[in-house]
């Protein structure tokens, strides 16, 4: 049996998943998930412009095509529809019902910047793009914003997280962290960032200030590429398949055990 999911335990969650579902072959390279509705997530893989609707109880799915082949890394649902992130920071806006592509937004980010994480801050009505690699030997994780009122990128990062802070909170001076997914908790509004490389989950204040670092079990999270919450706080994390199938892990939220704002 695998060990505990998180070390230390995350407040509000049991330390073992309530369910683990193996996903079908077209989702082997799943790269992002977002809550779609009761018992259903939206997901993407990192090569095809396809939007998947995944049943969280069975793993069965339906799909629709929204674009050409590309390097798609994350997806999030907003009142303006879905947004899909490419690794270069380009955003694709999709209709929230049909999945049809509505618009594409580009921005010139600093050289050597690569993204895998996109999340929606409902309180500021902004998308947050978090870099996986932020430049040669850059000792920070940077995040940029996209305002959904003006449909515009902010030129400078909205926050940065120093590796020294991650290592201090994680009590490990060797931690390497390349974020692969992120989401705001719908109840506490804390920002959670997971890193496949580094095998950590970072809990932050809404402004990006890190509060806690949790180690994640490499047996359960071989390659975590997607993270999202249901409106009631339930947590979903998906793993891209490597030697085995992709997987979807479900952690119900226990509100009485969690600290709120």
């Amino acid at each position: 049996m695998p060990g505990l999911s998180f070390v230390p335990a995350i407040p509000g969650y049991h330390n073992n998943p309530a369910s683990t579902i193996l996903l079908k072959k077209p989702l082997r390279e799943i790269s992002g998930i977002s809550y779609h509705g009761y018992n259903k997530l939206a997901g993407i893989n990192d090569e095809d412009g396809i939007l998947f609707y995944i049943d969280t109880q069975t793993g069965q799915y339906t799909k629709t095509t929204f674009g050409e082949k590309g390097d798609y890394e994350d997806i999030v649902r907003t009142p303006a529809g879905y947004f899909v992130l490419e690794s270069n920071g380009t955003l694709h806006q999709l209709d929230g019902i049909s999945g049809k592509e509505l618009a594409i937004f580009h921005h010139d980010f600093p050289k050597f910047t690569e993204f895998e994480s996109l999340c929606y801050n409902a309180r500021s009505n902004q998308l947050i793009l978090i870099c996986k690699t932020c430049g040669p030997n850059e000792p920070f994780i940077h995040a940029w914003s996209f305002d959904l009122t003006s449909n515009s990128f902010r030129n400078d990062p909205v926050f940065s997280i120093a590796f020294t802070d991650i290592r201090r909170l994680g009590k490990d001076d060797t931690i390497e962290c390349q974020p692969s997914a992120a989401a705001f908790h719908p109840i506490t509004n804390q920002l959670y960032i997971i890193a496949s490389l580094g095998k950590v989950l970072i809990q932050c204040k809404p402004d990006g200030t890190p509060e806690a670092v949790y180690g994640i079990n490499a047996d359960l999270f071989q390659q975590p590429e997607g993270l999202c919450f249901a409106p009631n706080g339930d947590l979903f994390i998906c793993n891209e398949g490597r030697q085995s199938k992709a997987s979807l892990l479900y952690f119900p939220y226990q509100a009485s055990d969690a600290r709120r704002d």
Side-chain angles (χ1 to χ4, degrees), residues 36-218:
H36 179 75
Y38 181 70
N39 286 342
K40 189 164 288 188
L41 303 180
I44 55 170
N45 68 28
D46 65 6
E47 292 183 351
D48 302 310
I50 297 175
L51 179 63
F52 295 87
Y53 300 101
I54 306 164
D55 188 302
T56 60
Q57 295 185 321
T58 67
Q60 297 297 318
Y61 66 87
T62 59
K63 64 181 182 178
T64 184
T65 299
F66 68 83
E68 303 294 330
K69 287 185 176 293
D71 191 6
Y72 302 108
E73 295 293 351
D74 211 349
I75 181 172
V76 67
R77 192 174 192 181
T78 78
Y82 283 107
F83 282 82
V84 174
L85 172 71
E86 288 193 64
S87 60
N88 63 3
T90 295
L91 294 173
H92 298 253
Q93 183 182 6
L94 314 181
D95 184 89
I97 298 175
S98 69
K100 180 181 177 181
E101 188 170 78
L102 302 177
I104 302 176
F105 302 96
H106 302 278
H107 186 68
D108 290 328
F109 292 98
K111 193 175 181 180
F112 303 116
T113 301
E114 181 181 354
F115 295 93
E116 281 196 359
S117 304
L118 179 69
C119 51
Y120 173 57
N121 187 336
R123 300 190 186 186
S124 65
N125 197 34
Q126 291 182 331
L127 298 177
I128 304 296
L129 299 78
I130 302 172
C131 59
K132 173 186 176 182
T133 54
C134 307
N137 302 314
E138 178 71 5
F140 292 90
I141 296 168
H142 299 302
W144 282 263
S145 67
F146 179 83
D147 186 90
L148 289 174
T149 302
S150 62
N151 284 337
S152 61
F153 289 93
R154 177 171 167 171
N155 287 326
D156 299 319
V158 288
F159 66 78
S160 298
I161 302 173
F163 281 7
T164 52
D165 289 337
I166 297 171
R167 291 165 179 164
R168 174 179 54 81
L169 290 168
K171 299 179 181 179
D172 183 349
D173 289 339
T174 67
I175 292 176
E176 297 294 333
C177 183
Q178 292 190 358
S180 50
F184 284 92
H185 196 287
I187 297 172
T188 68
N189 202 39
Q190 291 164 317
L191 174 62
Y192 286 83
I193 304 170
I194 199 166
S196 181
L197 180 59
K199 292 294 187 285
V200 292
L201 180 70
I202 307 167
Q203 174 189 304
C204 303
K205 295 180 180 180
D207 65 2
T209 303
E211 298 179 307
V213 172
Y214 306 92
I216 63 175
N217 187 330

